[in-house]
Amino acid sequence: MEGNHEKARVRLCYLCNQRRAALKRPKTLEQICRECFYEVFEEEIHQVIVKNQLFKPGERIAIGASGGKDSTVLAYVLSELNRRHNYGLDLFLLSVDEGITGYRDDSLETVKRNELQYGLPLKIVSYKDLYGWTMDEIVKTIGLKNNCTFCGVFRRQALDRGAALLKVDKLVTGHNADDIAETVLLNILRGDIARD
Ligand SMILES: Nc1ncnc2c1ncn2[C@@H]1O[C@H](COP(=O)(O)OP(=O)(O)OP(=O)(O)O)[C@@H](O)[C@H]1O
């Protein structure tokens, strides 16, 4: 009896109806298992790439790799789909080292591991080399106020310059819906409605 009750409480995956559901997708509210999640997630990304003709065979693509979760997932999925569906892309990891001790130096270690795991060449460009200043040195001079604005502008330019050095056709980043919502809200709070 106890065993039956236990079984009744286990929710099975909405898609395969075999394995235990491990998460609820915010997008569909379906409760699905880990394996089905990987499958539908990767297939949806493939469909978006194909439908929107994001890439052409032979293109060189840089993946903006911060070592955080979003760009690490991006690097994994893109290298996997490139292999699985023969996109014919030349993929590279491109990282910007802002020179923030105790933060970027740690995450760059993750990117170096990704270089080996996914077999993707890695290029690191640093604020120190490009601009002559690390972010730590900039903060020492201008203080903490507004330093994120400087850093964001420098990072975008550093990504552009790294992309030019690698001679890539396109640069992809792991920006997601949360990042877009954050940008819109910040622009509204600043009173910069025109940007939205
Ligand atoms: N130092 C960096 N070097 C290379 N790419 C970067 C760097 N920082 C950010 N990016 C790119 O910009 C995207 C958005 O970065 P941001 O820090 O705003 O958000 P995030 O959602 O925390 O991303 P992640 O989890 O990948 O760090 C990243 O996914 C990555 O593609």
Side-chain angles (χ1 to χ4, degrees):
M1 275 306 268
E2 184 53 36
N4 283 347
H5 281 152
E6 198 50 48
K7 251 189 186 163
R9 259 185 274 140
V10 171
R11 190 175 288 272
L12 289 179
C13 170
Y14 175 80
L15 294 176
C16 68
N17 209 26
Q18 283 175 3
R19 290 177 291 260
R20 195 188 184 121
L23 61 105
K24 189 180 197 174
R25 286 198 81 188
K27 189 172 166 181
T28 57
L29 300 182
E30 290 165 1
Q31 301 199 31
I32 60 178
C33 67
R34 190 185 296 254
E35 291 79 359
C36 287
F37 172 71
Y38 290 145
E39 210 172 292
V40 290
F41 180 68
E42 290 171 10
E43 183 56 25
E44 279 174 16
I45 296 173
H46 172 58
Q47 290 307 329
V48 169
I49 290 173
V50 172
K51 193 168 156 226
N52 297 284
Q53 300 177 0
L54 294 186
F55 307 117
K56 292 192 203 80
E59 278 185 331
R60 291 165 68 87
I61 310 290
I63 301 167
S66 65
K69 61 184 181 342
D70 296 312
S71 49
T72 303
V73 170
L74 174 68
Y76 166 76
V77 174
L78 201 52
S79 62
E80 188 60 32
L81 294 178
N82 189 33
R83 228 185 329 264
R84 196 182 297 163
H85 299 287
N86 295 317
Y87 292 164
L89 303 176
D90 262 343
L91 299 176
F92 301 86
L93 296 171
L94 171 60
S95 293
V96 178
D97 181 0
E98 299 93 342
I100 308 174
T101 313
Y103 170 64
R104 190 58 76 202
D105 41 0
D106 273 2
S107 52
L108 282 178
E109 290 308 311
T110 306
V111 183
K112 287 176 192 161
R113 278 199 300 277
N114 295 158
E115 177 187 22
L116 300 175
Q117 281 171 322
Y118 310 144
L120 301 178
L122 166 65
K123 170 90 190 153
I124 301 178
V125 290
S126 70
Y127 282 10
K128 185 74 182 173
D129 289 344
L130 294 177
Y131 312 121
W133 293 70
T134 65
M135 207 50 217
D136 286 345
E137 289 165 351
I138 293 173
V139 167
K140 261 195 208 141
T141 308
I142 65 160
L144 283 171
K145 203 160 174 258
N146 288 335
N147 67 346
C148 288
T149 308
F150 279 95
C151 193
V153 172
F154 287 162
R155 185 184 302 120
R156 275 190 291 279
Q157 206 212 59
L159 282 170
D160 270 356
R161 299 199 20 196
L165 286 171
L166 284 170
K167 297 188 171 47
V168 292
D169 301 289
K170 287 169 185 157
L171 169 71
V172 296
T173 65
H175 285 95
N176 56 32
D178 285 357
D179 296 323
I180 298 171
E182 190 182 287
T183 304
V184 170
L185 288 173
L186 279 175
N187 287 343
I188 291 172
L189 288 174
R190 278 199 205 108
D192 199 351
I193 307 286
R195 278 204 197 201
D196 300 315

